[in-house]
Amino acid sequence: MTLFEISAGDTAWVLVSAALVLLMTPALAFFYGGMVRAKSVLNMLMMSVTTMGVVGVLWVLVGFSMAFGDSLGGVVGNPLQFLGLSGVMAADAVVGTIPTSVFAGFQAAFAIIAVALISGAVADRMKFSAWVVFAALWALLVYFPAAHWVFAFDGAVSERGGFIANQIQAIDFAGGTAIHINAGAAALALAIVLGPRLGFGRTPMRPHNLTLVMLGAGLLWFGWFGFNAGSALGANTLAGVAWLNTLVAAAAAMLAWLLVERLRDGHATSLGAASGIVAGLVGITPACAAVSPLGAMLIGALAGTGAAFAIGLKRVFGYDDSLDVVGVHLVGGLIGTLAIGFLADPASPTGASGLLHGGGLSLLWAQFLGALAVLAYSLVVTFAIAKVLDTAMGIRVKPMAETAGIDASEHAESGYDLSHVGYSSYSVRQTIVVPTKEETTA
């Protein structure tokens, strides 16, 4: 392709979309930050913000090349091909109708939030230094290869190159497998290795700032239009369909979650509304170009309902996924990915037919294999990374530091300075957990 095939309109839309997706990581920081206790809010914010630095640098060095370089057996891109983004700035380097540099920036924002999502599972108790090292290793060993499987193109960035897209031929328009199932499985593995918070299951650990949670959810919904509609890589019909489906899926999921709460608990909550929005956005991410708006509404309702029940699994199985990354992202991602096999509409831009549209079982089988491949790989490799880090440097703060507050122990700061009104920074609305003998010696 030549420079003359670049569309100014498409380029502008993808640049705006890239900024929207990047905004989602600070939005996630607000969303997660409001859900933890006040003594942990800064640490939660820092985990997302520092991920922008760690993954941003790695993406330029080798990440883009590992994800979008010439495929080495369909497993990973050639890490040396675009080393330091070499060749990306050339005037004739294009992806469809946009410059390759714009595409690289857009995908960088995807890589950043994929890693940041995991942090919600380890709130209150993971060493900050261990998180930084983990984020780097997970991006290199898990996300970049998985992105290649799902999103990758050949060296000219013009054709699909990863084995999930090429051999399995699963549909994942914007990252239901590469991002949400991937991060959700990693969250489960890391939470298991890290162990539960002190007092988990016996002490209430309520969100300290639901206003912050709602702000984060609203900004995530706003940014997600860039996430999904921007993945069309152009201002076109495909982007319009993805935009509409993103809107209606999140709306349906929010209502579904609130209905579950009302029937199960007797009341609908703001936390449920925020969580439902995110669950619907997760569910529609892989499917937004493959289903009709009615199909998107159904996916949203299923994701909202499924995630509302799935967050209780941690109580059943005893793992402490602090902010329900597994319940929302892993389960929501699975629902959206598998739903394509049933609901893919031949009238949609992809032209694929799901089981309910006479397409048979082949697409459903492909969706299952694609989801399983990413889930299993992420679970196993993340568990190994966490175990190695735990042996090498320890990944959990000391019990007394956790009790006093991870903000103080890891950052020497407080999210709220209330000393001027006569309160200690950590005295307001905090539950002091006294470690059991087993927790102290663990």
Side-chain angles (χ1 to χ4, degrees):
M1 292 195 175
T2 68
L3 179 63
F4 300 105
E5 294 171 344
I6 291 176
S7 163
D10 291 346
T11 300
W13 167 239
V14 179
L15 281 170
V16 170
S17 295
L20 288 173
V21 180
L22 188 62
L23 176 67
M24 290 172 67
T25 298
L28 181 73
F30 290 147
F31 182 69
Y32 280 171
M35 283 199 284
V36 298
R37 291 167 288 180
K39 62 185 180 181
S40 303
V41 59
L42 287 181
N43 179 254
M44 205 71 259
L45 297 174
M46 283 287 286
M47 292 174 93
S48 286
V49 171
T50 53
T51 298
M52 298 173 78
V54 172
V55 180
V57 169
L58 288 176
W59 184 254
V60 169
L61 294 177
V62 296
F64 179 75
S65 198
M66 290 176 68
F68 297 101
D70 284 338
S71 187
L72 303 178
V75 176
V76 70
N78 181 352
L80 301 178
Q81 185 171 355
F82 299 114
L83 188 67
L85 294 186
S86 61
V88 168
M89 295 184 293
D92 60 350
V94 297
V95 179
T97 58
I98 66 173
T100 302
S101 58
V102 174
F103 177 75
F106 180 65
Q107 285 292 333
F110 276 60
I112 289 167
I113 195 166
V115 180
L117 286 172
I118 304 168
S119 65
V122 300
D124 293 333
R125 63 203 190 279
M126 187 172 185
K127 288 181 180 178
F128 181 67
S129 57
W131 168 255
V132 172
V133 177
F134 172 84
L137 291 176
W138 194 83
L140 287 166
L141 300 178
V142 182
Y143 180 75
F144 297 158
H148 181 77
W149 303 351
V150 176
F151 300 133
F153 301 79
D154 65 11
V157 200
S158 60
E159 296 178 1
R160 297 280 182 178
F163 80 90
I164 287 179
N166 263 358
Q167 279 70 49
I168 296 178
Q169 296 187 332
I171 295 174
D172 184 355
F173 185 70
T177 53
I179 294 175
H180 298 293
I181 292 175
N182 198 2
L188 177 59
L190 189 56
I192 290 172
V193 175
L194 198 60
R197 288 166 290 179
L198 299 179
F200 174 70
R202 60 185 176 88
T203 302
M205 299 179 183
R206 300 185 183 91
H208 87 284
N209 191 332
L210 288 169
T211 304
L212 206 59
V213 174
M214 292 296 280
L215 173 64
L219 288 173
L220 282 169
W221 198 349
F222 177 64
W224 225 291
F225 290 111
F227 199 96
N228 287 352
S231 293
L233 301 183
N236 49 37
T237 300
L238 179 57
V241 170
W243 199 102
L244 286 171
N245 286 343
T246 301
L247 171 67
V248 73
M254 175 181 61
L255 296 177
W257 192 302
L258 291 177
L259 180 61
V260 169
E261 283 190 329
R262 184 69 178 83
L263 295 176
R264 182 185 61 193
D265 308 322
H267 49 261
T269 68
S270 60
L271 180 60
S275 300
I277 289 168
V278 175
L281 293 168
V282 170
I284 199 59
T285 293
C288 57
V291 299
S292 68
L294 288 177
M297 191 182 303
L298 180 56
I299 289 174
L302 291 172
T305 302
F309 284 106
I311 61 173
L313 292 176
K314 64 184 181 184
R315 304 291 182 184
V316 177
F317 295 105
Y319 64 88
D320 185 10
D321 169 21
S322 306
L323 307 183
D324 300 312
V325 183
V326 176
V328 173
H329 293 274
L330 177 56
V331 173
L334 285 170
I335 288 172
T337 299
L338 296 177
I340 295 171
F342 292 97
L343 299 173
D345 192 329
S348 70
T350 65
S353 296
L355 185 62
L356 299 183
H357 289 276
L361 291 170
S362 58
L363 180 57
L364 179 60
W365 179 243
Q367 297 304 115
F368 172 77
L369 290 179
L372 180 63
V374 173
L375 192 160
Y377 178 78
S378 181
L379 194 66
V380 171
V381 179
T382 303
F383 189 85
I385 293 171
K387 278 292 188 183
V388 169
L389 285 180
D390 198 26
T391 301
M393 62 186 297
I395 60 174
R396 182 162 182 157
V397 299
K398 299 294 185 182
M400 295 312 296
E402 182 178 337
T403 299
I406 197 168
D407 285 355
S409 65
E410 293 294 293
H411 307 291
E413 294 177 306
S414 167
Y416 304 96
D417 183 5
L418 301 176
S419 58
H420 63 286
V421 292
Y423 293 101
S424 164
S425 297
Y426 292 108
S427 67
V428 178
R429 300 188 66 179
Q430 293 304 303
T431 300
I432 301 301
V433 179
V434 179
T436 64
K437 182 178 179 182
E438 292 76 14
E439 290 171 335
T440 303
T441 58

